[in-house]
Amino acid sequence: MHAMILTENRDFLWTEVPDPVRKDGEVLIKVCAAAVNRADLMQKDGCYASPPEWPQWCGLEVSGVVIEAPPDAGVGVGVGDKVCALLGGGGYSEIVSVPAGMAVPAPKNLSMIEAASLPEVWSTVYLNLRLEAGGMKPGDVFYMQAGASGVGLAAVQYAKTMGAEVITTVDSPEKASFLRKLGADCVLDYRTDDVLGAVAAHPPAVALDCIGGKLMGQCLNHMVFGGRWIMIATMGGAETAINLETVWRRRLRIIGSTLRSRTPEEKARIMRSLHDEIWPLFENGSMITNIHAVFPIREAEQAHGVLRRAENTGKVVLTFE
């Protein structure tokens, strides 16, 4: 098979590599599409390697057709079935082998391009809003920076299903308009609007933060009693000043969270929850995934460029046809 590997100089190279060998309990998938995530950009830059048991090239989520499976793989993940899968790495390749529980049937009525855009971002959102934060109740405020990202669009929609009031940030009027159509209550341009003032006026119960930086510590001062601030990345900087007295007096929880380092068993439970609870919402039209751009796999560098320049509203996907 072929894969888009990384050279010693961190350049992409489409080249022939050995086919993966399916282990016990795994399914082999012929890949139709693989979505691009910011973790892929970090991996290409040499600062976020795949776990050692996974291929050492990019790709955390794919869609495709099962070509080999154990007899107990489960309904909808047998040979010939269309699935989407969460990976620890290696998705930029024609064939992947993945623990059977981390592959689930693709939602009905979605294309394979759309299906490839779901596993990583929705696993991230479900893990953090449902499991780490413990959910929200109607009227709670949810704060999400970078609302037009793949994770942002998913988080905004999921928070609204819980009845939350959503505050989010973007960098263009076009992205703001899109987020408002998804139901976001307060959409701010972080370059020009008073984000801190909005957070102070609407204290969050839960924040999902991929930015960090100076603003994080300032916003923490305005969280409700028992608020949960979940850190998943530090795109805006790894340092901030935190008033520790505010943290203990208000019983705030600062939670560091990553999906990639979770065990296959944890990921399988999350994927099953997505299949049972979230996929029906895609199938009945209550949820959407927005595909910003599609590139052939040989144009992976151009696809990464879209994310690096923060041009996307939603997902960028690579195809293998």
Side-chain angles (χ1 to χ4, degrees), residues 144-206:
M144 173 85 216
Q145 296 208 65
S149 66
V151 169
L153 295 186
V156 166
Q157 293 180 85
Y158 194 43
K160 294 303 294 184
T161 69
M162 299 181 194
E165 176 186 344
V166 174
I167 301 174
T168 191
T169 63
V170 294
D171 61 4
S172 76
E174 293 77 18
K175 292 178 181 179
S177 176
F178 191 89
L179 264 295
R180 291 189 184 99
K181 290 177 182 177
L182 282 187
D185 299 278
C186 179
V187 185
L188 304 162
D189 188 325
Y190 70 85
R191 303 167 303 178
T192 57
D193 292 333
D194 182 8
V195 175
L196 184 59
V199 170
H202 303 270
V206 175

Side-chain angles (χ1 to χ4, degrees), residues 132-149:
E132 295 284 14
M136 287 173 280
K137 64 182 184 298
D140 280 350
V141 175
F142 171 64
Y143 174 52
M144 173 85 216
Q145 296 208 65
S149 66

Side-chain angles (χ1 to χ4, degrees), residues 42-89:
M42 295 169 62
Q43 183 164 6
K44 187 175 186 296
D45 292 341
C47 55
Y48 199 39
S50 301
E53 67 272 20
W54 289 90
Q56 296 302 303
W57 55 80
C58 301
L60 295 174
E61 55 186 345
V62 300
S63 65
V65 178
V66 176
I67 55 177
E68 287 185 24
D72 58 349
V75 176
V77 288
V79 173
D81 289 327
K82 294 180 178 180
V83 297
C84 53
L86 182 65
L87 313 176

Side-chain angles (χ1 to χ4, degrees), residues 86-147:
L86 182 65
L87 313 176
Y92 291 11
S93 57
E94 293 177 316
I95 302 172
V96 297
S97 188
V98 59
M102 290 166 60
V104 298
K108 300 179 181 66
N109 305 325
L110 265 63
S111 69
M112 295 305 277
I113 287 172
E114 291 171 320
S117 75
L118 302 180
E120 173 72 14
V121 295
W122 276 96
S123 291
T124 297
V125 168
Y126 188 89
L127 165 67
N128 291 300
L129 270 62
R130 175 60 66 188
L131 304 181
E132 295 284 14
M136 287 173 280
K137 64 182 184 298
D140 280 350
V141 175
F142 171 64
Y143 174 52
M144 173 85 216
Q145 296 208 65

